[in-house]
Amino acid sequence: MLPSRALLIASVGLVIAGQLCFAAVLCAASAERPNVVLIMTDDQGYGEFSCHGNPIAKTPHIDKLASEAVRLTDFHVSPMCTPTRGQLMTGLDAFRNGAINVSSGRTLLRPELKTIADVFRTGGYRTGLFGKWHLGDNYPFRPEDRGFDEALWFPSSHINSVPDYWNNDYFDDTYIHNTQRVRRDGYCTDVFFDEAIKWMDQQDEQPFFAYIALNAAHWPWFVPDHYRSAIREALDDNNEISGNIKPVLRDNLISFLAMGTNIDDNVGKLDRFLRESEQMNNTIVVFLTDNGSTMGPKYFNAGMRGGKTTLWEGGHRVPCFIRWPNGLKLSHEVDDLCHVQDLLPTLAALSGIAEHTPEKLDGTSLKAVLEDPDMSLEERMLVINYSRMPTFRVKYTTENPALPHKDGALVMWKHWRLLENRELYNVKDDPEQRHNIAARHQKIVEKMRARLDGWWSEVEGDVLTPQRVIIGHNAENPLLLTACEWLDVFVDQQIQIRRGVPKNGSWHVTVAETGTYELELRRWPKESRLKLHEGCPELQVTDGTFLEGTALPIARATLRLDDRKILLAQPDRDKTAFVTQAKLDSGPLEIRATFFDKAGTEICGAYYLYVRRID
């Protein structure tokens, strides 16, 4: 028998040896797992790529990716970007995950939900986001709060949105890097790919999940000018298209497609990195777009009807290419009905971390059909629904269309499409959806309507509940609230701030801690250094012009905190803000800040509200 001290040393040695063996097993497992790069572009539709027959654009690198990939030919997203992004992140329908609109206080992804980044991080991956997030700009909704180890991003829907750094213009902009504002030189799409590649190159021991989410080709259509020449020449050579386009539309289309050329160049750059770093074979690359095209219906729509924000096929059927040389050895087409919410369980399954996915998902793993061309998915019926922008005109309700409504849905089943609970189309026989055949197929309508009714009964109880930014939390104090979070009111473009749109709304927040809070009411953001009553001059930026900002006769303000009203008659010393302090109790709170002229007439809401807990 060993002496007790010797026994202890031997035991410790066995434990250490066991830990080293376990660590070696983990390292080996990590080395075998594929990296994952997910590229999502903005506002490009199915027809924006030459591999899908585009008569103007040339996208050789994306075409090559498609030729080497499994191509999902009946793949769908939401008709607007935030719902698509929320479904990608959670594998859940938009009305279950809370992210149902592009602004209006309805972009916030339920904080209790596990994201795809959480899944990969728990599975031993490093996780990074580069570009557009659009699922919440404040704690606890930021990408840094939702599973990403590295995040370089901009707030809200697009560069030059209301909460974005003032006068960002796609070139040499200021972004958010892991909660801190930083400037990066270069064109935005180049920056996001370059930063992603640099980060990927630093991941030596762990596999990585990189989400490259572009703002291109979203308006404003700014792009390095040299990308326009080839598009302009191709358009001039196509009499059928160029002869039917008005001059203003022609310039916009050229810029839009030039942005696509730049995206294609960057996809090529990514592939060069993967080849040169010998990671190509064991990296899953996914390419898709976030909704239908903003331009497609005006020039080329791949035979479909409708574009972004519509329930027509052109509003939500988009490309999805999945390439993995080591794991998906056969490039082929999958014609089954698929959806963006399928990507979370699919990528987790392909990466060997399926045990970390949430138990209940609306998405389903596509692993079997990706690996075997002879496999098919079980027949399924999918629902697409989302909150419209408040200014939309819709036929299914007389209420504010930002309020979710059952009849605002699309139901998809095989080649059938039931729109707004009243029109039925067969996209196999009628791809342009010109013939409503609901009257001739009542049994099909009834079956699809039953699915819609059952789905609505599951989601209607929570879908109107606003998600709440948390103020006064140590994770983000101070913080900025902007008009893009006014509940069911749309103000999300800096051009609206420049115009001084006469709108107002309320922020629905949660106070983290009881204490004294300082609140600054501003018409312009701090970095603009503009006074409350001032306008601003027209500004020539790198690739366009920002219009002159209207002066508003702001003389006083009110701040409403639930039922408590604070009158503010004197701005701060620099006349850039009305500042006050208030004791706030922890818990839910509704805030409304309003500007008035000298006569007491309401002008608009305070577009920017800075909040800081001071004790």
Side-chain angles (χ1 to χ4, degrees):
M1 179 178 292
L2 291 170
S4 58
R5 187 168 184 271
L7 180 61
L8 175 61
I9 293 172
S11 299
V12 171
L14 287 171
V15 169
I16 292 173
Q19 289 174 337
L20 290 173
C21 289
F22 181 64
V25 169
L26 281 180
C27 287
S30 293
E32 294 169 0
R33 288 178 179 171
N35 302 310
V36 179
V37 179
L38 197 156
I39 305 165
M40 178 183 281
T41 74
D42 201 332
D43 282 0
Q44 291 184 303
Y46 188 89
E48 249 73 73
F49 310 96
S50 44
C51 60
H52 288 164
N54 191 286
I56 305 297
K58 302 299 179 187
T59 52
H61 301 294
I62 294 170
D63 295 353
K64 186 174 187 295
L65 170 61
S67 71
E68 299 168 342
V70 180
R71 300 170 296 281
L72 306 181
T73 64
D74 198 10
F75 181 84
H76 298 264
V77 293
S78 174
M80 286 204 301
C81 50
T82 284
T84 293
R85 293 162 200 276
Q87 289 174 293
L88 169 67
M89 284 295 110
T90 64
L92 295 170
D93 287 333
F95 279 18
R96 294 193 209 277
N97 67 46
I100 61 175
N101 200 319
V102 295
S103 71
S104 312
R106 301 283 185 182
T107 64
L108 307 178
L109 191 68
R110 294 184 186 277
E112 71 273 16
L113 296 177
K114 198 173 188 178
T115 69
I116 192 171
D118 291 321
V119 170
F120 274 90
R121 178 192 267 178
T122 306
Y125 278 69
R126 294 283 293 170
T127 57
L129 163 73
F130 306 90
K132 180 169 175 172
W133 173 240
H134 206 189
L135 293 169
D137 305 331
N138 299 103
Y139 178 79
F141 302 100
R142 304 165 299 177
E144 298 93 334
D145 308 318
R146 307 309 299 267
F148 286 98
D149 301 310
E150 175 80 0
L152 180 76
W153 59 290
F154 58 88
S156 196
S157 60
H158 62 289
I159 290 178
N160 205 243
S161 67
V162 170
D164 194 25
Y165 193 81
W166 187 247
N167 288 335
N168 267 356
D169 71 340
Y170 288 41
F171 295 85
D172 304 331
D173 285 339
T174 297
Y175 305 108
I176 301 169
H177 179 230
N178 299 337
T179 75
Q180 302 300 312
R181 278 180 164 173
V182 297
R183 179 187 163 99
R184 291 288 185 268
D185 292 336
Y187 180 63
C188 52
T189 302
D190 300 337
V191 167
F192 297 140
F193 271 92
D194 288 345
E195 291 285 327
I197 289 170
K198 182 173 70 174
W199 176 81
M200 286 185 269
D201 198 35
Q202 296 168 351
Q203 309 310 310
D204 295 326
E205 297 181 0
Q206 287 178 272
F208 55 76
F209 170 76
Y211 176 31
I212 305 174
L214 307 177
N215 57 296
H218 193 290
W219 172 90
W221 296 298
F222 295 157
V223 65
D225 188 57
H226 68 270
Y227 280 102
R228 293 188 173 97
S229 57
I231 299 296
R232 189 177 290 112
E233 290 175 9
L235 185 57
D236 288 342
D237 290 340
N238 191 309
N239 294 328
E240 182 179 353
I241 293 178
S242 61
N244 293 314
I245 293 183
K246 295 178 180 179
V248 172
L249 175 59
R250 182 180 184 276
D251 290 344
N252 289 340
L253 177 59
I254 289 170
S255 297
F256 173 79
L257 293 176
M259 295 169 85
T261 303
N262 171 262
I263 292 170
D264 187 74
D265 277 358
N266 276 284
V267 171
K269 179 169 58 182
L270 171 67
D271 271 359
R272 285 194 298 276
F273 162 74
L274 293 175
R275 281 195 304 271
E276 291 168 2
S277 62
E278 299 182 347
Q279 298 182 88
M280 172 74 81
N281 288 338
N282 203 34
T283 298
I284 299 171
V285 176
V286 183
F287 180 90
L288 71 157
T289 72
D290 68 340
N291 45 242
S293 177
T294 52
M295 284 290 185
K298 301 177 178 71
Y299 82 108
F300 175 76
N301 215 28
M304 295 182 289
R305 182 178 180 182
K308 178 180 178 178
T309 74
T310 74
L311 293 178
W312 304 113
E313 201 79 349
H316 47 84
R317 181 177 164 229
V318 302
C320 184
F321 311 136
I322 304 177
R323 183 188 69 194
W324 180 22
N326 275 1
L328 305 175
K329 298 184 183 299
L330 295 174
S331 66
H332 61 279
E333 293 186 347
V334 173
D335 297 326
D336 295 302
L337 186 64
C338 302
H339 197 277
V340 65
Q341 61 204 21
D342 299 333
L343 290 179
L344 186 158
T346 299
L347 294 174
L350 291 175
S351 304
I353 57 172
E355 70 271 20
H356 300 297
T357 59
E359 183 178 350
K360 293 183 179 181
L361 294 174
D362 291 311
T364 188
S365 173
L366 307 176
K367 182 174 183 289
V369 295
L370 295 179
E371 293 176 336
D372 187 348
D374 297 323
M375 290 290 290
S376 293
L377 292 175
E378 292 184 9
E379 191 175 287
R380 61 201 303 214
M381 202 176 291
L382 298 173
V383 178
I384 292 177
N385 206 341
Y386 63 104
S387 159
R388 276 61 165 177
M389 285 155 67
T391 54
F392 276 26
R393 292 183 180 180
V394 299
K395 297 179 180 178
Y396 59 82
T397 181
T398 58
E399 298 178 312
N400 181 348
L403 301 176
H405 197 286
K406 180 182 76 171
D407 291 340
L410 164 72
V411 184
M412 300 186 293
W413 176 39
K414 298 188 290 189
H415 51 274
W416 302 104
R417 305 290 186 261
L418 180 65
L419 277 69
E420 296 185 352
N421 206 8
R422 57 192 175 86
E423 296 182 6
L424 181 71
Y425 297 89
N426 180 338
V427 294
K428 182 179 179 181
D429 298 335
D430 177 25
E432 294 187 355
Q433 295 175 278
R434 300 299 178 188
H435 307 289
N436 175 16
I437 53 176
R440 289 166 26 205
H441 296 278
Q442 280 300 309
K443 289 186 177 180
I444 290 172
V445 171
E446 289 170 7
K447 184 170 183 174
M448 299 177 78
R449 184 170 287 156
R451 169 71 176 113
L452 176 61
D453 290 343
W455 175 85
W456 180 252
S457 68
E458 296 172 0
V459 302
E460 67 173 326
D462 292 327
V463 72
L464 279 172
T465 303
Q467 303 304 304
R468 294 174 177 268
V469 167
I470 298 178
I471 65 173
H473 194 282
N474 288 337
E476 189 185 20
N477 184 47
L479 62 74
L480 168 64
L481 298 174
T482 75
C484 77
E485 298 299 349
W486 287 343
L487 192 63
D488 298 327
V489 177
F490 177 72
V491 178
D492 188 36
Q493 301 167 351
Q494 286 187 16
I495 192 172
Q496 292 177 286
I497 306 303
R498 286 174 167 268
R499 288 172 174 159
V501 291
K503 294 185 178 181
N504 199 0
S506 296
W507 293 282
H508 292 248
V509 304
T510 295
V511 180
E513 296 183 28
T514 298
T516 302
Y517 287 74
E518 181 181 79
L519 301 103
E520 293 183 37
L521 289 65
R522 291 177 177 262
R523 185 257 168 106
W524 308 101
K526 283 185 178 181
E527 66 269 17
S528 74
R529 300 181 181 178
L530 292 167
K531 294 179 169 54
L532 283 161
H533 67 279
E534 284 184 325
C536 62
E538 179 180 278
L539 179 66
Q540 184 69 42
V541 293
T542 307
D543 190 44
T545 304
F546 291 158
L547 60 75
E548 180 181 356
T550 304
L552 299 177
I554 297 170
R556 62 191 69 176
T558 63
L559 180 67
R560 189 178 295 277
L561 306 168
D562 282 340
D563 295 329
R564 183 172 26 148
K565 185 176 180 181
I566 301 173
L567 299 175
L568 302 168
Q570 186 65 40
D572 66 358
R573 182 177 58 188
D574 297 325
K575 298 183 179 179
T576 58
F578 290 96
V579 183
T580 189
Q581 294 183 3
K583 180 71 177 291
L584 302 180
D585 295 327
S586 62
L589 177 68
E590 181 177 340
I591 303 175
R592 190 177 183 92
T594 308
F595 291 139
F596 299 86
D597 64 17
K598 289 182 179 179
T601 302
E602 180 174 328
I603 300 172
C604 63
Y607 305 128
Y608 299 89
L609 180 68
Y610 292 81
V611 182
R612 180 169 66 99
R613 175 172 55 82
I614 57 180
D615 67 24

